[in-house]
Amino acid sequence: MKIYETRTAPNPRRVRMFLAEKGIDVDYVQVDIQKGENLSAQMRAKNPLGKIPILELDDGTCIAETDAICTYFEALHPSPSLMGETALEKGVISMWQRQVELALMLQVGMCFQHTTGYFKDRMVPVPEYGKEAGINASKYFNILERRLSVTPFIAGDSFSIADITALCAIDFARVVGIRIKDEQENLRRWYDNVSSRESAKA
Amino acid sequence: MKIYETRTAPNPRRVRMFLAEKGIDVDYVQVDIQKGENLSAQMRAKNPLGKIPILELDDGTCIAETDAICTYFEALHPSPSLMGETALEKGVISMWQRQVELALMLQVGMCFQHTTGYFKDRMVPVPEYGKEAGINASKYFNILERRLSVTPFIAGDSFSIADITALCAIDFARVVGIRIKDEQENLRRWYDNVSSRESAKA
Protein backbone atom coordinates (compact mmCIF):
# COMPACT_ATOMS: atom_id res chain seq x y z
CA MET A 1 0.00 0.00 0.00
CA LYS A 2 1.02 3.61 -0.41
CA ILE A 3 -0.22 7.07 0.47
CA TYR A 4 -0.26 9.95 -2.01
CA GLU A 5 0.38 13.16 -0.09
CA THR A 6 2.05 16.54 0.00
CA ARG A 7 4.62 16.79 2.76
CA THR A 8 3.93 20.42 3.67
CA ALA A 9 0.10 20.29 3.65
CA PRO A 10 -1.79 20.02 6.96
CA ASN A 11 -4.12 17.09 6.27
CA PRO A 12 -1.40 14.62 5.22
CA ARG A 13 0.42 15.50 8.46
CA ARG A 14 -2.69 14.32 10.36
CA VAL A 15 -2.42 10.91 8.69
CA ARG A 16 1.35 10.64 9.31
CA MET A 17 0.91 11.55 12.97
CA PHE A 18 -1.97 9.06 13.36
CA LEU A 19 0.12 6.26 11.84
CA ALA A 20 3.17 7.21 13.94
CA GLU A 21 1.06 6.89 17.11
CA LYS A 22 0.14 3.36 16.00
CA GLY A 23 3.65 2.48 14.84
CA ILE A 24 2.55 1.79 11.25
CA ASP A 25 5.01 2.39 8.38
CA VAL A 26 3.61 3.17 4.92
CA ASP A 27 5.31 4.29 1.71
CA TYR A 28 4.54 7.86 0.67
CA VAL A 29 4.34 9.30 -2.85
CA GLN A 30 4.73 13.07 -3.09
CA VAL A 31 2.20 15.02 -5.16
CA ASP A 32 2.87 18.70 -6.00
CA ILE A 33 -0.50 20.36 -5.29
CA GLN A 34 0.80 23.83 -6.12
CA LYS A 35 1.54 22.63 -9.67
CA GLY A 36 -1.87 20.90 -9.71
CA GLU A 37 -0.53 17.34 -10.03
CA ASN A 38 -3.49 16.28 -7.85
CA LEU A 39 -5.89 17.43 -10.59
CA SER A 40 -4.59 15.10 -13.32
CA ALA A 41 -6.90 12.47 -14.81
CA GLN A 42 -4.71 9.81 -13.19
CA MET A 43 -5.16 11.31 -9.71
CA ARG A 44 -8.87 12.03 -10.23
CA ALA A 45 -9.33 8.34 -11.04
CA LYS A 46 -8.03 7.69 -7.51
CA ASN A 47 -10.10 10.49 -5.91
CA PRO A 48 -12.78 12.31 -7.94
CA LEU A 49 -12.40 15.41 -5.76
CA GLY A 50 -8.73 15.69 -6.80
CA LYS A 51 -7.45 16.07 -3.25
CA ILE A 52 -4.79 14.43 -1.12
CA PRO A 53 -4.08 12.40 0.99
CA ILE A 54 -5.16 9.19 -0.74
CA LEU A 55 -4.43 5.68 0.54
CA GLU A 56 -3.99 3.19 -2.31
CA LEU A 57 -4.17 -0.48 -1.38
CA ASP A 58 -2.21 -3.16 -3.25
CA ASP A 59 -5.31 -4.18 -5.25
CA GLY A 60 -5.74 -0.59 -6.46
CA THR A 61 -8.62 0.31 -4.14
CA CYS A 62 -8.30 3.95 -3.09
CA ILE A 63 -9.49 5.57 0.13
CA ALA A 64 -9.36 9.36 0.17
CA GLU A 65 -10.16 11.74 3.03
CA THR A 66 -7.94 11.99 6.09
CA ASP A 67 -10.59 10.81 8.54
CA ALA A 68 -11.52 7.83 6.34
CA ILE A 69 -7.88 6.73 6.04
CA CYS A 70 -7.59 6.92 9.83
CA THR A 71 -10.88 4.98 10.21
CA TYR A 72 -9.43 2.21 8.03
CA PHE A 73 -6.23 1.92 10.06
CA GLU A 74 -8.08 2.19 13.40
CA ALA A 75 -10.13 -0.87 12.40
CA LEU A 76 -7.05 -2.79 11.20
CA HIS A 77 -4.85 -1.83 14.16
CA PRO A 78 -7.15 -0.94 17.07
CA SER A 79 -4.33 -0.49 19.59
CA PRO A 80 -3.51 2.11 20.78
CA SER A 81 -7.07 3.36 20.31
CA LEU A 82 -7.26 6.88 18.89
CA MET A 83 -10.99 6.86 17.98
CA GLY A 84 -12.48 5.25 21.11
CA GLU A 85 -13.35 1.72 22.22
CA THR A 86 -16.83 1.96 23.78
CA ALA A 87 -19.86 3.45 22.00
CA LEU A 88 -19.67 6.48 24.30
CA GLU A 89 -15.95 7.03 23.64
CA LYS A 90 -16.46 6.63 19.90
CA GLY A 91 -19.33 9.14 19.92
CA VAL A 92 -17.57 11.75 22.03
CA ILE A 93 -14.28 11.52 20.12
CA SER A 94 -16.14 11.66 16.80
CA MET A 95 -17.95 14.82 17.97
CA TRP A 96 -14.74 16.62 18.89
CA GLN A 97 -12.94 15.38 15.80
CA ARG A 98 -15.76 16.68 13.61
CA GLN A 99 -16.00 20.02 15.38
CA VAL A 100 -12.24 20.59 15.24
CA GLU A 101 -12.34 19.72 11.55
CA LEU A 102 -15.31 21.93 10.64
CA ALA A 103 -14.91 24.86 13.02
CA LEU A 104 -11.11 25.05 13.02
CA MET A 105 -9.24 23.16 10.28
CA LEU A 106 -11.77 23.94 7.54
CA GLN A 107 -12.02 27.59 8.60
CA VAL A 108 -8.23 27.99 8.58
CA GLY A 109 -8.14 26.32 5.17
CA MET A 110 -10.86 28.59 3.77
CA CYS A 111 -9.10 31.65 5.22
CA PHE A 112 -5.87 30.53 3.54
CA GLN A 113 -7.45 29.72 0.17
CA HIS A 114 -9.70 32.77 -0.02
CA THR A 115 -7.30 35.43 1.33
CA THR A 116 -4.02 34.32 -0.26
CA GLY A 117 -5.33 33.20 -3.67
CA TYR A 118 -2.93 30.21 -3.45
CA PHE A 119 -5.28 28.09 -5.60
CA LYS A 120 -6.70 30.91 -7.73
CA ASP A 121 -5.94 28.91 -10.90
CA ARG A 122 -8.63 26.39 -9.84
CA MET A 123 -11.14 28.28 -7.68
CA VAL A 124 -12.63 31.75 -7.26
CA PRO A 125 -11.20 33.32 -4.07
CA VAL A 126 -13.66 35.51 -2.14
CA PRO A 127 -11.45 37.50 0.28
CA GLU A 128 -14.41 38.78 2.33
CA TYR A 129 -15.42 35.18 3.05
CA GLY A 130 -11.81 34.22 3.81
CA LYS A 131 -11.69 36.96 6.43
CA GLU A 132 -14.89 35.64 8.07
CA ALA A 133 -13.44 32.12 8.06
CA GLY A 134 -10.36 33.43 9.90
CA ILE A 135 -12.59 35.06 12.52
CA ASN A 136 -14.47 31.76 12.93
CA ALA A 137 -11.16 29.93 13.46
CA SER A 138 -10.05 32.46 16.11
CA LYS A 139 -13.36 31.99 17.95
CA TYR A 140 -12.79 28.25 18.05
CA PHE A 141 -9.46 28.81 19.84
CA ASN A 142 -11.63 30.24 22.68
CA ILE A 143 -13.83 27.13 22.73
CA LEU A 144 -10.73 24.94 22.95
CA GLU A 145 -9.33 27.10 25.77
CA ARG A 146 -12.52 26.58 27.80
CA ARG A 147 -12.62 22.86 27.03
CA LEU A 148 -8.98 22.36 28.01
CA SER A 149 -9.58 24.11 31.33
CA VAL A 150 -11.60 21.02 32.36
CA THR A 151 -10.01 18.12 30.45
CA PRO A 152 -6.34 17.31 29.71
CA PHE A 153 -7.08 16.34 26.10
CA ILE A 154 -9.73 17.61 23.71
CA ALA A 155 -12.05 14.60 23.85
CA GLY A 156 -11.45 13.91 27.54
CA ASP A 157 -8.87 12.07 29.65
CA SER A 158 -7.05 10.37 26.77
CA PHE A 159 -5.11 11.51 23.72
CA SER A 160 -7.21 10.97 20.57
CA ILE A 161 -7.47 11.74 16.87
CA ALA A 162 -9.12 15.06 17.82
CA ASP A 163 -5.83 16.20 19.41
CA ILE A 164 -3.97 15.34 16.21
CA THR A 165 -6.44 17.33 14.09
CA ALA A 166 -6.30 20.33 16.42
CA LEU A 167 -2.49 20.36 16.57
CA CYS A 168 -2.16 20.24 12.79
CA ALA A 169 -4.83 22.95 12.38
CA ILE A 170 -3.23 25.26 14.95
CA ASP A 171 0.22 24.88 13.38
CA PHE A 172 -1.28 25.55 9.94
CA ALA A 173 -3.14 28.62 11.29
CA ARG A 174 0.19 30.45 11.71
CA VAL A 175 0.28 30.77 7.91
CA VAL A 176 -2.71 33.13 8.14
CA GLY A 177 -1.46 34.87 11.29
CA ILE A 178 -3.73 33.11 13.82
CA ARG A 179 -1.86 32.07 16.97
CA ILE A 180 -2.58 30.97 20.55
CA LYS A 181 -2.98 34.11 22.66
CA ASP A 182 -1.03 34.73 25.88
CA GLU A 183 -4.19 34.46 27.97
CA GLN A 184 -5.11 31.07 26.47
CA GLU A 185 -3.03 29.26 29.09
CA ASN A 186 -4.84 25.92 28.97
CA LEU A 187 -4.63 25.76 25.22
CA ARG A 188 -0.90 26.59 25.46
CA ARG A 189 -0.31 23.85 28.07
CA TRP A 190 -2.14 21.33 25.88
CA TYR A 191 -0.27 22.53 22.76
CA ASP A 192 3.15 22.17 24.41
CA ASN A 193 2.20 18.70 25.69
CA VAL A 194 0.88 17.37 22.36
CA SER A 195 3.66 19.02 20.33
CA SER A 196 6.25 17.18 22.42
CA ARG A 197 4.98 13.74 21.36
CA GLU A 198 7.36 11.88 19.06
CA SER A 199 4.51 11.52 16.52
CA ALA A 200 4.30 15.31 16.08
CA LYS A 201 7.55 15.14 14.06
CA ALA A 202 6.09 12.63 11.58
CA MET B 1 -32.07 9.81 26.23
CA LYS B 2 -33.37 12.51 23.91
CA ILE B 3 -32.34 14.36 20.78
CA TYR B 4 -32.59 18.13 20.40
CA GLU B 5 -33.41 18.89 16.79
CA THR B 6 -35.32 21.03 14.33
CA ARG B 7 -37.82 19.00 12.33
CA THR B 8 -37.37 20.91 9.07
CA ALA B 9 -33.54 21.11 9.04
CA PRO B 10 -31.54 18.68 6.87
CA ASN B 11 -29.01 17.34 9.40
CA PRO B 12 -31.58 16.19 12.01
CA ARG B 13 -33.33 14.32 9.20
CA ARG B 14 -30.11 12.38 8.63
CA VAL B 15 -30.18 11.22 12.26
CA ARG B 16 -33.89 10.30 12.16
CA MET B 17 -33.40 8.31 8.96
CA PHE B 18 -30.33 6.53 10.37
CA LEU B 19 -32.26 5.55 13.52
CA ALA B 20 -35.31 4.46 11.48
CA GLU B 21 -33.09 2.11 9.46
CA LYS B 22 -31.94 0.55 12.75
CA GLY B 23 -35.43 0.52 14.28
CA ILE B 24 -34.39 2.73 17.22
CA ASP B 25 -36.96 5.03 18.86
CA VAL B 26 -35.73 8.17 20.64
CA ASP B 27 -37.63 11.13 22.11
CA TYR B 28 -37.14 14.39 20.22
CA VAL B 29 -37.15 17.93 21.60
CA GLN B 30 -37.83 20.67 19.05
CA VAL B 31 -35.52 23.71 19.00
CA ASP B 32 -36.48 26.79 16.96
CA ILE B 33 -33.25 27.67 15.16
CA GLN B 34 -34.82 30.56 13.25
CA LYS B 35 -35.58 32.25 16.59
CA GLY B 36 -32.05 31.35 17.75
CA GLU B 37 -33.11 29.03 20.60
CA ASN B 38 -30.03 26.96 19.76
CA LEU B 39 -27.80 29.89 20.74
CA SER B 40 -29.01 30.17 24.36
CA ALA B 41 -26.55 29.60 27.23
CA GLN B 42 -28.49 26.43 28.09
CA MET B 43 -28.04 24.99 24.59
CA ARG B 44 -24.42 26.13 24.31
CA ALA B 45 -23.72 24.21 27.51
CA LYS B 46 -24.85 21.12 25.58
CA ASN B 47 -22.95 22.06 22.40
CA PRO B 48 -20.48 24.96 22.41
CA LEU B 49 -21.01 25.50 18.67
CA GLY B 50 -24.73 26.17 19.30
CA LYS B 51 -25.92 23.76 16.61
CA ILE B 52 -28.38 20.88 16.42
CA PRO B 53 -28.87 17.93 16.44
CA ILE B 54 -27.61 17.04 19.93
CA LEU B 55 -28.04 13.65 21.60
CA GLU B 56 -28.39 13.98 25.39
CA LEU B 57 -27.91 10.78 27.39
CA ASP B 58 -29.71 10.16 30.67
CA ASP B 59 -26.63 11.14 32.70
CA GLY B 60 -26.50 14.51 30.91
CA THR B 61 -23.62 13.65 28.58
CA CYS B 62 -24.17 15.37 25.23
CA ILE B 63 -22.99 14.23 21.80
CA ALA B 64 -23.41 16.82 19.05
CA GLU B 65 -22.69 16.44 15.31
CA THR B 66 -24.83 14.24 13.09
CA ASP B 67 -22.03 11.86 12.17
CA ALA B 68 -20.95 11.46 15.81
CA ILE B 69 -24.50 10.65 16.93
CA CYS B 70 -24.68 8.02 14.19
CA THR B 71 -21.25 6.67 15.20
CA TYR B 72 -22.55 6.22 18.77
CA PHE B 73 -25.66 4.31 17.67
CA GLU B 74 -23.74 2.23 15.11
CA ALA B 75 -21.49 1.00 17.95
CA LEU B 76 -24.47 0.32 20.27
CA HIS B 77 -26.64 -1.33 17.60
CA PRO B 78 -24.31 -2.64 14.87
CA SER B 79 -27.08 -4.35 12.89
CA PRO B 80 -28.05 -3.49 10.22
CA SER B 81 -24.62 -2.04 9.52
CA LEU B 82 -24.72 1.44 7.97
CA MET B 83 -21.04 2.35 8.48
CA GLY B 84 -19.35 -0.91 7.45
CA GLU B 85 -18.16 -4.06 9.20
CA THR B 86 -14.67 -4.76 7.84
CA ALA B 87 -11.82 -2.24 7.88
CA LEU B 88 -12.15 -1.82 4.12
CA GLU B 89 -15.91 -1.24 4.29
CA LYS B 90 -15.51 1.23 7.15
CA GLY B 91 -12.83 3.14 5.24
CA VAL B 92 -14.71 3.28 1.94
CA ILE B 93 -18.03 4.26 3.53
CA SER B 94 -16.29 6.89 5.66
CA MET B 95 -14.70 8.35 2.52
CA TRP B 96 -17.99 8.70 0.68
CA GLN B 97 -19.80 9.93 3.78
CA ARG B 98 -17.14 12.61 4.25
CA GLN B 99 -17.10 13.64 0.61
CA VAL B 100 -20.89 13.86 0.41
CA GLU B 101 -20.84 15.95 3.60
CA LEU B 102 -18.07 18.34 2.54
CA ALA B 103 -18.59 18.60 -1.22
CA LEU B 104 -22.41 18.45 -1.24
CA MET B 105 -24.24 19.00 2.09
CA LEU B 106 -21.85 21.69 3.32
CA GLN B 107 -21.84 23.45 -0.05
CA VAL B 108 -25.65 23.46 -0.21
CA GLY B 109 -25.75 24.79 3.37
CA MET B 110 -23.23 27.54 2.60
CA CYS B 111 -25.16 28.46 -0.55
CA PHE B 112 -28.36 28.68 1.52
CA GLN B 113 -26.83 30.68 4.39
CA HIS B 114 -24.81 33.08 2.24
CA THR B 115 -27.33 33.75 -0.53
CA THR B 116 -30.60 33.91 1.47
CA GLY B 117 -29.33 35.70 4.59
CA TYR B 118 -31.48 33.29 6.68
CA PHE B 119 -29.06 33.58 9.63
CA LYS B 120 -27.91 37.15 9.01
CA ASP B 121 -28.63 38.00 12.68
CA ARG B 122 -25.74 35.71 13.67
CA MET B 123 -23.30 35.62 10.73
CA VAL B 124 -22.05 37.82 7.89
CA PRO B 125 -23.48 36.49 4.60
CA VAL B 126 -21.12 36.78 1.60
CA PRO B 127 -23.40 36.24 -1.44
CA GLU B 128 -20.48 35.85 -3.86
CA TYR B 129 -19.19 32.93 -1.78
CA GLY B 130 -22.69 31.46 -1.51
CA LYS B 131 -22.91 31.43 -5.29
CA GLU B 132 -19.57 29.59 -5.57
CA ALA B 133 -20.78 27.06 -2.99
CA GLY B 134 -23.88 26.40 -5.11
CA ILE B 135 -21.69 25.82 -8.17
CA ASN B 136 -19.56 23.38 -6.13
CA ALA B 137 -22.70 21.48 -5.06
CA SER B 138 -23.92 21.23 -8.68
CA LYS B 139 -20.52 19.84 -9.72
CA TYR B 140 -20.81 17.14 -7.07
CA PHE B 141 -24.11 15.98 -8.62
CA ASN B 142 -21.98 15.09 -11.67
CA ILE B 143 -19.55 13.08 -9.52
CA LEU B 144 -22.48 11.16 -8.01
CA GLU B 145 -23.95 10.52 -11.47
CA ARG B 146 -20.65 8.96 -12.60
CA ARG B 147 -20.32 6.93 -9.38
CA LEU B 148 -23.87 5.62 -9.59
CA SER B 149 -23.30 4.48 -13.17
CA VAL B 150 -21.02 1.76 -11.71
CA THR B 151 -22.46 1.02 -8.25
CA PRO B 152 -26.09 0.74 -7.03
CA PHE B 153 -25.38 2.72 -3.86
CA ILE B 154 -22.92 5.51 -3.20
CA ALA B 155 -20.37 3.51 -1.19
CA GLY B 156 -20.81 0.32 -3.23
CA ASP B 157 -23.18 -2.65 -3.29
CA SER B 158 -24.95 -1.88 0.00
CA PHE B 159 -27.05 0.97 1.35
CA SER B 160 -25.02 3.02 3.85
CA ILE B 161 -24.93 6.24 5.84
CA ALA B 162 -23.51 7.97 2.73
CA ASP B 163 -26.81 7.37 0.91
CA ILE B 164 -28.72 8.95 3.80
CA THR B 165 -26.47 12.01 3.76
CA ALA B 166 -26.76 12.38 -0.02
CA LEU B 167 -30.56 12.02 -0.03
CA CYS B 168 -30.99 14.65 2.68
CA ALA B 169 -28.53 16.99 0.94
CA ILE B 170 -30.22 16.62 -2.46
CA ASP B 171 -33.68 17.23 -1.00
CA PHE B 172 -32.34 20.30 0.84
CA ALA B 173 -30.69 21.56 -2.35
CA ARG B 174 -34.13 22.27 -3.87
CA VAL B 175 -34.34 25.24 -1.47
CA VAL B 176 -31.53 26.91 -3.43
CA GLY B 177 -32.81 25.71 -6.81
CA ILE B 178 -30.34 22.87 -7.37
CA ARG B 179 -32.02 19.75 -8.74
CA ILE B 180 -31.13 16.47 -10.43
CA LYS B 181 -30.88 17.13 -14.19
CA ASP B 182 -32.79 15.09 -16.78
CA GLU B 183 -29.56 13.63 -18.15
CA GLN B 184 -28.41 12.44 -14.69
CA GLU B 185 -30.27 9.16 -15.12
CA ASN B 186 -28.23 7.07 -12.70
CA LEU B 187 -28.55 9.66 -9.97
CA ARG B 188 -32.31 9.79 -10.61
CA ARG B 189 -32.62 5.98 -10.41
CA TRP B 190 -30.69 5.95 -7.13
CA TYR B 191 -32.73 8.89 -5.80
CA ASP B 192 -36.07 7.19 -6.56
CA ASN B 193 -34.84 3.96 -4.99
CA VAL B 194 -33.51 5.54 -1.75
CA SER B 195 -36.48 7.92 -1.45
CA SER B 196 -38.86 4.97 -1.48
CA ARG B 197 -37.36 3.45 1.69
CA GLU B 198 -39.66 3.67 4.70
CA SER B 199 -36.89 5.46 6.63
CA ALA B 200 -36.98 8.39 4.19
CA LYS B 201 -40.26 9.49 5.82
CA ALA B 202 -38.70 9.68 9.30
Side-chain angles (χ1 to χ4, degrees):
Chain A
M1 63 172 67
K2 55 191 163 187
I3 291 175
Y4 295 89
E5 65 144 19
T6 303
R7 193 84 197 164
T8 51
N11 285 318
R13 184 185 176 208
R14 293 165 60 193
V15 172
R16 292 195 307 272
M17 195 169 165
F18 187 92
L19 295 180
E21 288 282 340
K22 288 188 178 280
I24 300 169
D25 282 325
V26 178
D27 287 336
Y28 292 94
V29 179
Q30 295 305 307
V31 178
D32 189 330
I33 54 174
Q34 195 171 9
K35 284 189 186 159
E37 286 179 0
N38 50 310
L39 303 175
S40 68
Q42 183 195 4
M43 292 306 292
R44 282 196 189 272
K46 301 182 194 298
N47 176 9
L49 290 183
K51 294 187 176 180
I52 48 90
I54 304 166
L55 169 67
E56 186 172 67
L57 304 181
D58 291 341
D59 70 355
T61 302
C62 287
I63 300 176
E65 299 298 322
T66 298
D67 192 77
I69 295 170
C70 293
T71 295
Y72 174 78
F73 282 111
E74 179 83 358
L76 268 191
H77 302 275
S79 183
S81 164
L82 294 171
M83 299 176 82
E85 292 177 350
T86 67
L88 183 61
E89 288 169 0
K90 285 175 196 284
V92 169
I93 291 171
S94 174
M95 168 180 68
W96 285 102
Q97 160 78 343
R98 191 59 58 118
Q99 295 197 337
V100 171
E101 284 187 315
L102 295 177
L104 184 58
M105 179 64 94
L106 181 67
Q107 302 303 316
V108 172
M110 291 298 97
C111 179
F112 174 71
Q113 292 184 13
H114 286 274
T115 62
T116 68
Y118 190 82
F119 291 131
K120 68 174 187 278
D121 59 334
R122 66 200 80 166
M123 59 172 280
V124 180
V126 183
E128 188 188 352
Y129 172 68
K131 197 180 141 199
E132 288 302 315
I135 293 169
N136 292 341
S138 293
K139 286 181 182 170
Y140 198 74
F141 275 53
N142 296 329
I143 288 177
L144 287 181
E145 168 63 14
R146 284 197 294 277
R147 172 65 176 171
L148 294 165
S149 72
V150 293
T151 57
F153 295 103
I154 289 174
D157 288 334
S158 302
F159 178 82
S160 79
I161 191 171
D163 297 294
I164 294 174
T165 306
L167 179 72
C168 295
I170 288 174
D171 280 341
F172 181 44
R174 282 183 291 196
V175 174
V176 288
I178 301 172
R179 289 180 172 79
I180 298 173
K181 295 191 180 75
D182 289 344
E183 63 269 29
Q184 293 171 331
E185 293 175 5
N186 293 291
L187 183 53
R188 170 59 62 188
R189 171 192 51 72
W190 166 88
Y191 178 86
D192 290 344
N193 178 19
V194 174
S195 291
S196 70
R197 296 175 82 94
E198 186 64 26
S199 63
K201 298 176 198 152
Chain B
M1 64 171 68
K2 55 192 164 187
I3 291 176
Y4 296 88
E5 66 144 16
T6 302
R7 195 80 196 165
T8 52
N11 284 318
R13 184 186 176 209
R14 293 165 59 193
V15 172
R16 292 196 307 273
M17 194 169 166
F18 187 91
L19 294 180
E21 288 284 340
K22 287 186 178 280
I24 300 170
D25 281 326
V26 177
D27 287 336
Y28 292 93
V29 179
Q30 295 305 307
V31 177
D32 189 330
I33 53 174
Q34 196 171 8
K35 284 188 185 159
E37 285 180 1
N38 51 309
L39 303 175
S40 67
Q42 184 195 0
M43 293 305 294
R44 281 197 190 271
K46 300 183 194 299
N47 177 8
L49 289 183
K51 295 189 175 178
I52 48 92
I54 304 166
L55 168 67
E56 186 173 68
L57 305 180
D58 291 342
D59 71 354
T61 302
C62 287
I63 300 176
E65 298 299 320
T66 298
D67 192 78
I69 295 170
C70 295
T71 295
Y72 173 77
F73 283 111
E74 177 84 358
L76 269 191
H77 303 275
S79 182
S81 165
L82 295 171
M83 299 175 82
E85 292 178 350
T86 67
L88 183 62
E89 288 169 0
K90 285 176 197 283
V92 170
I93 292 172
S94 174
M95 168 180 68
W96 284 101
Q97 159 79 341
R98 191 59 58 118
Q99 295 197 337
V100 172
E101 284 187 314
L102 295 177
L104 183 59
M105 178 65 94
L106 181 68
Q107 302 303 316
V108 173
M110 291 298 98
C111 179
F112 174 72
Q113 292 184 13
H114 286 274
T115 61
T116 68
Y118 190 83
F119 291 131
K120 66 174 187 279
D121 59 335
R122 67 199 78 165
M123 60 171 278
V124 180
V126 182
E128 188 187 352
Y129 172 68
K131 196 180 143 201
E132 287 303 314
I135 293 169
N136 292 340
S138 293
K139 285 182 184 169
Y140 198 73
F141 275 53
N142 296 330
I143 288 177
L144 286 182
E145 167 64 14
R146 283 196 294 277
R147 173 64 176 171
L148 293 166
S149 72
V150 293
T151 58
F153 295 103
I154 290 175
D157 289 334
S158 302
F159 179 83
S160 78
I161 191 171
D163 297 293
I164 295 175
T165 306
L167 179 71
C168 295
I170 288 173
D171 279 341
F172 181 43
R174 283 184 291 196
V175 175
V176 289
I178 301 171
R179 289 179 172 79
I180 298 172
K181 295 190 179 76
D182 288 345
E183 63 269 28
Q184 291 170 333
E185 294 176 5
N186 293 291
L187 182 54
R188 169 60 63 189
R189 172 193 51 72
W190 165 90
Y191 177 86
D192 290 344
N193 178 20
V194 174
S195 291
S196 70
R197 297 175 82 93
E198 187 63 27
S199 64
K201 299 175 196 151

